[in-house]
Amino acid sequence: MSPRMSKALRSALLSFRDLVLSAGPLAFLAVGLLVLAYWWLNPTPPKSVTLATGPAQSAYEEFGKRYQRALAAEGIEVRLLPSDGSSANLQLLRDGQADLAFVQGGTAELLPDDPENLVSLGSLFVEPVWVFYRTEAAQRMYARPRLDGLRQLRGMRVNVGSEGSGVPWLMNQLLEANRLEAGAVTMTRLEETPATVAFLAGKLDALVFASAPESLMVQMLLQTPGVQLLDIAQHEAYARRFPFLSPVTLPRGVVDLASNVPARDVRMVASTTSLLARESTHPALLTLFAQRAQQVHSTAGWFNRAREFPNMRNSELPIAKEGERAMNEPVPMLQRYLPFWLANLIERMWLVLGILLAALLPLSRVVPPLYQFRVRSRVFRWYGRLREIEDTVESEPDKAPQMLQALDALEAQVEKVTVPLSYADELYALRNHIHLIRKKLMRP
């Protein structure tokens, strides 16, 4: 490397060092504040989340699998936690064993602190109360194949589901409203699969589910010969008496148009299932689930029209702002073009970045004067030595030879000083002043 190139490189490195030392404290402050803001906002969601579903082959399990596939595309692992049903799911949320869960309205009593610890992402679908009974049992008890009210379950062997499903609590309220005293109905509390086996074997007269139509058990029983679906003629009255219930109708032929199943409209009551979450669940996860709910539950079904769900009706808990935003606002623009993790990071950090920028801009005005001071100090610090030589000669003329040597050493040091071209005039001014002092020292 030639001396000229070596000197130019050294000058560039010195200028860069001065710039770093001048702007370094401000940059360090900015990075520190960004790290602090990132830690405080925690914009990156966990890579796994637990969703409490329900029994095997239930609608809850099927919906859980859909969410699992949808979030896998965003790099989030959804662990499905099987349970006995809605009531058990609510308890899993309270205990912290699940982050989110499907919970059916009216199947469990809310505790006083639930509204503070739990939030809803909206109502997702209706879950009718399916009361299946054997035609043979109705014929034996009432000498007719079809029943039209819950009161006609008197004297029958009825399975109302396990405690964790919440259906026993719901059915107790409905039977009490029909003034069916304890013991008027022989109730068992088997899980869905063994209860269905016992029902088809004739060991049970009726079977009660509270499930979405997507349940495989429901689909199968609706098309099983010798099995009838109870037509609840008073379904409007039940909805007026119990605010968590809605009157619904299963239209004729909706199960199988070709076979005309069911053969007539069936009046039913239904409650609404919501997706609940712990209030401490990461906001980005709530956003993902709320947005995917728009895709999973917005299609038309047996009991609703397209885009009727998700909604904010019939919610027993506060609606999370993430759920409300997903239902009422379009997908944010950034999420349409960027991966979710990046769009979420920008959306959650942009306000902090704006505040930091507003705070640091005034401070950044200190950097140019500081840089200028550092560069000029490489020149000006030699003026002190130059004045010292001049003062010594004036006070002690006999020391002129020694001061001339000191001036030569000073000039040699100044020759090594490099500054950016914009400050070269000050360097040459120093050399000119050294030359003037030299002439003064050599004056006879």
Side-chain angles (χ1 to χ4, degrees):
M1 181 180 297
S2 66
R4 181 177 297 178
M5 290 184 62
S6 176
K7 190 172 183 179
L9 177 61
R10 181 170 177 270
S11 177
L13 290 176
L14 285 174
S15 298
F16 179 74
R17 185 196 67 179
D18 289 332
L19 182 62
V20 170
L21 292 176
S22 301
L26 186 64
F28 181 79
L29 177 63
V31 171
L33 290 175
L34 278 175
V35 171
L36 182 63
Y38 186 90
W39 171 82
W40 179 57
L41 290 174
N42 189 23
T44 306
K47 290 299 183 181
S48 63
V49 60
T50 301
L51 172 63
T53 54
Q57 300 182 336
S58 66
Y60 287 178
E61 183 186 53
E62 175 59 29
F63 284 130
K65 291 178 179 178
R66 295 184 190 180
Y67 281 102
Q68 191 177 50
R69 291 191 293 269
L71 268 71
E74 304 293 345
I76 306 296
E77 177 193 7
V78 179
R79 297 191 298 268
L80 303 183
L81 181 60
S83 70
D84 290 336
S86 179
S87 182
N89 286 351
L90 185 57
Q91 192 58 46
L92 288 171
L93 282 177
R94 290 168 178 159
D95 295 340
Q97 298 182 48
D99 301 302
L100 299 101
F102 298 113
V103 177
Q104 182 184 14
T107 56
E109 185 176 2
L110 293 178
L111 299 179
D113 58 346
D114 282 344
E116 298 179 4
N117 300 324
L118 305 177
V119 293
S120 172
L121 294 181
S123 301
L124 305 182
F125 52 89
V126 294
E127 283 195 279
V129 180
W130 306 87
V131 183
F132 294 100
Y133 62 93
R134 294 174 58 82
T135 306
E136 174 271 328
Q139 194 74 43
R140 183 180 71 249
M141 297 287 295
Y142 297 99
R144 55 194 175 109
R146 288 193 293 274
L147 306 179
D148 62 1
L150 290 174
R151 188 171 176 80
Q152 294 170 332
L153 295 178
R154 178 187 291 273
M156 290 190 178
R157 299 164 296 174
V158 182
N159 187 78
V160 294
S162 61
E163 284 290 349
S165 67
V167 179
W169 189 82
L170 175 61
M171 282 301 296
N172 282 335
Q173 295 182 84
L174 300 182
L175 294 177
E176 286 176 8
N178 282 274
R179 298 176 186 171
L180 289 174
E181 64 279 2
V185 177
T186 304
M187 290 191 290
T188 59
R189 297 182 177 180
L190 301 175
E191 294 183 358
E192 284 188 7
T193 301
T196 303
V197 172
F199 176 70
L200 296 176
K203 298 177 181 179
L204 294 172
D205 300 314
L207 196 60
V208 181
F209 289 145
S211 178
E214 287 80 0
S215 169
L216 297 178
M217 291 293 186
V218 170
Q219 298 270 351
M220 182 267 292
L221 290 171
L222 284 171
Q223 303 185 64
T224 300
V227 175
Q228 301 268 9
L229 178 60
L230 181 64
D231 178 34
I232 303 178
Q234 299 170 304
H235 69 155
E236 290 282 357
Y238 282 105
R240 304 292 176 86
R241 290 282 300 274
F242 300 97
F244 52 82
L245 292 178
S246 302
V248 295
T249 300
L250 185 67
R252 174 181 176 179
V254 72
V255 179
D256 189 334
L257 286 170
S259 303
N260 194 33
V261 179
R264 61 193 61 79
D265 289 351
V266 181
R267 293 161 291 187
M268 305 171 67
V269 293
S271 62
T272 305
T273 292
S274 300
L275 182 59
L276 304 187
R278 292 177 57 82
E279 197 277 335
S280 58
T281 303
H282 197 285
L285 289 176
L286 297 183
T287 298
L288 273 175
F289 272 90
Q291 291 177 351
R292 297 306 175 267
Q294 303 298 312
Q295 303 167 7
V296 174
H297 303 287
S298 62
T299 57
W302 289 0
F303 300 98
N304 64 277
R305 300 183 183 278
R307 292 180 294 280
E308 187 176 342
F309 289 97
N311 60 53
M312 294 188 290
R313 299 189 296 271
N314 302 322
S315 179
E316 298 176 277
L317 289 168
I319 300 292
K321 62 180 182 298
E322 291 82 6
E324 187 174 352
R325 190 180 303 120
M327 286 181 271
N328 297 327
E329 300 176 10
V331 177
M333 184 180 65
L334 288 177
Q335 293 186 25
R336 300 176 197 170
Y337 305 105
L338 298 176
F340 176 82
W341 69 268
L342 181 57
N344 174 72
L345 177 64
I346 296 173
E347 288 171 4
R348 290 180 62 79
M349 292 290 289
W350 73 267
L351 181 59
V352 173
L353 291 174
I355 294 174
L356 287 178
L357 188 62
L360 293 177
L361 273 178
L363 293 176
S364 65
R365 297 177 182 176
V366 178
V367 175
L370 187 60
Y371 173 75
Q372 184 182 37
F373 171 77
R374 291 194 59 85
V375 173
R376 297 181 70 185
S377 67
R378 296 214 300 266
V379 175
F380 290 162
R381 69 190 182 93
W382 298 108
Y383 275 101
R385 178 58 176 157
L386 186 61
R387 175 175 292 180
E388 181 183 341
I389 293 173
E390 184 179 15
D391 292 343
T392 301
V393 171
E394 290 179 354
S395 61
E396 302 179 54
D398 57 321
K399 289 187 175 180
Q402 293 93 327
M403 292 300 99
L404 190 58
Q405 293 179 2
L407 188 64
D408 291 340
L410 173 61
E411 188 174 21
Q413 291 292 332
V414 171
E415 290 291 335
K416 299 177 182 178
V417 174
T418 56
V419 294
L421 290 178
S422 56
Y423 296 92
D425 57 336
E426 296 176 356
L427 179 60
Y428 284 107
L430 173 61
R431 292 178 178 177
N432 187 46
H433 291 153
I434 293 174
H435 179 68
L436 291 175
I437 299 299
R438 184 184 298 280
K439 290 175 64 178
K440 187 176 182 178
L441 291 176
M442 297 178 67
R443 191 179 304 161

